[in-house]
Amino acid sequence: MATDVRGPLSVPSGPPPSPAPPVPQEDESLWGRVTTPRTLLSRALSVPLALGFTVFLPLFVAVQPGAGAHDAAFWLQLALTMYAGARLSAMVLTSRRKLLQGSFWLFVYMAMGVAPLAQAVLGQVPTPVVGPRSDLTWAIALVFLGCCAFDVGVLLARHRPAGRAGGSQKEPRPVMAHRRRLQLLTVFAFLASGAFIVKLGGPAVFFSSRQEIIAGIQEAGVSNGDGQAGQAFLRGFGTVPALLALLLYTRWLVTSTYARRKVSVILTWAALALLNLVVNNPVSNPRYWFLTVLFALLFAVFPVSAAMYRVALSMAVVVALLVFPFADRFRYDEKNYKPVETTSFLEPMALKDYDQIGMFANTITFAESGPGHFYGRQFAGSVLFAVPRSVWPGKPRDTGVMVGQWMGTVNTNLSSPIWAELWIDFGPLGMGAGLLGMGYASARVDRRYARRATRRTPPGSLISVVVPLVAGYSFILLRGPLLQASGRVAIAALCLALVATYRTDASTTLR
């Protein structure tokens, strides 16, 4: 037998070598898009987008003429705005859709960054800051600390368990929407929203003003004095089940050829769309709730579009700057509405709803004036929001209402951002731990959503509906108060528990 002599370039004989380990799906999808035109376009836009959010817009606002003092609070606010701009740019330009993290940084950039910076430049605030300037400086520093803690939580979430990283553990079973239970939820949505419409006097009142809606609720006898549980239940059950049913049917139609061929599914979707046009329109609902509706519907219609995700986050900054301050046209009726007259694009942000930094400073002043921290009492009131005050006489009030009454303001419908809610209950360390936990949970959910929300995902996958809904509603949760936001959260959880199932057979899931 002849001896096989191989040179340096000889083709080896024998069994083929073992294949290289496969690239993880995340990296594979990233490298697969490196040379596509969309990626090249994203690279071309990345530098001006990042510089615009991080440097140009904050500095443009900072150099505007105004009566504000350039002290420690001003420079700390400018640093916070630039930090939030850098993180928002990273969310826009990421290779994966990170809805929860993106909505967090969008809120921080606008409500805790650009708007308070404009207020600092002009020396005007929408809600008076009653304490010393040092409390405002401390509030800005605590917001900055909370943002850093959020990022630490995101970094911790990158370290997966060894078994999961190596592939030895099974992926958890997906939670699906049960077809029969979805039909039951749809029937319940029509009944609940129908009762809401009848209770307020018909569909016409939903296209008048929010002032008329509040008056109708009071006339219906469900808003009794300080107790707002009846009002929260009426509005929650009148709006949330209808929205969830619409989102599930929308995703079913978008992702299933079978559903688009079923006349019954199309007619049900059309009826739900008409119902939501009445109970969830921007005229009769607060702007933050309608923002939730838009955000959830957008990603239900475009479940896998990375371009739509980037456009949504980028355009939201423009909307928040130019549209949102003027979007309260339907808050009051014709007699009580006063149009905004401004000479600068900064003034609406100083005269309207961006009072989060100022209210955090007022919360600090309120606590230091005597009450101190509550050690979970406010949080307990939010969790147990459904308990009536007749049963719990000492039930905590909304944090924003409580601080507003202490300040002596006429309008006590004031915000209480999550930083203030955590701080007044648990102090700086508890606030940092809470934001760290939020960052960790957001990163884990975003990763699972990016892995699950693909074109191959079944139409009934609940995570593809729940995550966009939570991302939209997070603007309300972050703004606060938590007690006001808890009602719709609980109702949505009940509705999702009704339709959720682990079964994947054809007789129960959407197809």
Side-chain angles (χ1 to χ4, degrees):
M1 180 178 297
T3 303
D4 184 13
V5 180
R6 297 182 177 90
L9 300 178
S10 300
V11 178
S13 61
S18 301
V23 180
Q25 186 175 356
E26 298 173 10
D27 297 336
E28 191 175 11
S29 60
L30 173 63
W31 289 108
R33 291 194 296 267
V34 166
T35 57
T36 61
R38 180 179 297 177
T39 302
L40 294 178
L41 181 61
S42 299
R43 285 181 173 181
L45 294 176
S46 61
V47 174
L49 179 70
L51 289 178
F53 284 169
T54 308
V55 180
F56 296 150
L57 180 58
L59 290 182
F60 178 75
V61 173
V63 299
Q64 296 301 305
H70 286 197
D71 56 1
F74 171 83
W75 294 111
L76 194 58
Q77 184 63 59
L78 178 61
L80 172 62
T81 306
M82 298 178 76
Y83 182 82
R87 299 299 294 125
L88 179 60
S89 301
M91 294 300 104
V92 174
L93 298 171
T94 183
S95 60
R96 296 185 305 175
R97 290 162 295 153
K98 300 178 180 179
L99 296 189
L100 298 185
Q101 296 174 69
S103 61
F104 176 86
W105 288 112
L106 176 61
F107 177 85
V108 173
Y109 184 62
M110 292 311 307
M112 316 295 277
V114 175
L117 181 62
Q119 296 165 13
V121 169
L122 297 176
Q124 303 176 21
V125 290
T127 302
V129 178
V130 298
R133 187 75 172 175
S134 59
D135 285 354
L136 179 62
T137 305
W138 180 227
I140 300 171
L142 285 172
V143 172
F144 209 151
L145 174 65
C147 292
C148 294
F150 184 91
D151 271 340
V152 172
V154 172
L155 291 175
L156 292 176
R158 292 183 179 181
H159 299 282
R160 306 184 191 179
R164 176 69 55 81
S168 60
Q169 294 185 1
K170 292 183 179 180
E171 184 73 15
R173 289 186 300 170
V175 183
M176 310 297 291
H178 195 286
R179 186 166 68 249
R180 298 299 182 189
R181 296 178 193 169
L182 175 57
Q183 295 170 354
L184 181 61
L185 174 65
T186 303
V187 173
F188 176 75
F190 278 107
L191 292 176
S193 296
F196 185 36
I197 295 171
V198 172
K199 197 76 172 176
L200 268 63
V205 71
F206 289 85
F207 297 94
S208 54
S209 67
R210 296 207 299 274
Q211 188 177 13
E212 293 291 332
I213 293 288
I214 295 173
I217 292 175
Q218 292 174 346
E219 291 176 3
V222 296
S223 182
N224 51 343
D226 291 335
Q228 301 296 320
Q231 180 183 163
F233 273 112
L234 181 62
R235 298 196 72 158
F237 280 110
T239 56
V240 174
L243 175 60
L244 273 173
L246 177 64
L247 292 175
L248 289 166
Y249 269 91
T250 299
R251 173 169 170 78
W252 193 7
L253 284 172
V254 167
T255 58
S256 171
T257 305
Y258 169 82
R260 292 192 291 270
R261 293 173 180 172
K262 293 281 290 185
V263 177
S264 60
V265 175
I266 297 175
L267 291 179
T268 302
W269 178 88
L272 285 169
L274 182 61
L275 180 65
N276 279 271
L277 183 63
V278 176
V279 299
N280 282 318
N281 67 73
V283 176
S284 59
N285 286 278
R287 287 163 288 175
Y288 278 97
W289 173 249
F290 187 68
L291 183 64
T292 300
V293 174
L294 284 182
F295 209 81
L297 279 174
L298 178 68
F299 291 103
V301 175
F302 301 99
V304 296
S305 175
M308 185 56 64
Y309 163 78
R310 296 188 178 102
V311 170
L313 286 184
S314 302
M315 291 303 298
V317 176
V318 179
V319 172
L321 280 172
L322 303 179
V323 178
F324 201 75
F326 299 93
D328 67 340
R329 170 62 184 85
F330 302 107
R331 173 179 290 181
Y332 308 103
D333 55 21
E334 292 293 338
K335 296 180 180 180
N336 297 303
Y337 175 69
K338 297 180 181 179
V340 179
E341 298 178 359
T342 64
T343 58
S344 168
F345 85 98
L346 298 183
E347 289 184 10
M349 291 183 284
L351 300 175
K352 288 297 180 180
D353 294 326
Y354 294 117
D355 64 343
Q356 285 75 37
I357 289 286
M359 281 303 298
F360 190 9
N362 288 331
T363 303
I364 293 174
T365 307
F366 164 76
E368 292 178 348
S369 67
H373 299 289
F374 289 88
Y375 303 103
R377 185 172 177 271
Q378 292 298 112
F379 182 74
S382 301
V383 173
L384 303 175
F385 74 98
V387 178
R389 296 188 183 276
S390 58
V391 178
W392 186 4
K395 180 180 177 181
R397 293 166 292 171
D398 288 338
T399 304
V401 172
M402 179 176 62
V403 176
Q405 290 177 347
W406 170 79
M407 294 166 56
T409 59
V410 177
N411 176 25
T412 57
N413 183 22
L414 303 171
S415 66
S416 179
I418 192 66
W419 291 260
E421 294 279 358
L422 292 171
W423 182 88
I424 198 170
D425 257 344
F426 307 109
L429 292 180
M431 185 206 72
L435 269 297
L436 185 146
M438 287 175 55
Y440 182 86
S442 297
R444 293 297 298 268
V445 173
D446 279 338
R447 181 183 294 119
R448 182 165 296 183
Y449 174 78
R451 187 166 58 245
R452 292 277 179 83
T454 65
R455 289 182 175 85
R456 297 183 300 273
T457 303
S461 175
L462 276 185
I463 194 173
S464 301
V465 172
V466 172
V467 173
L469 181 63
V470 173
Y473 200 70
S474 64
F475 298 116
I476 298 177
L477 293 172
L478 292 170
R479 177 188 180 271
L482 283 181
L483 184 58
Q484 291 184 10
S486 299
R488 279 175 166 148
V489 172
I491 294 171
L494 289 174
C495 294
L496 292 170
L498 172 65
V499 301
T501 181
Y502 284 107
R503 296 176 60 180
T504 57
D505 53 282
S507 62
T508 59
T509 57
L510 308 182
R511 53 196 175 100

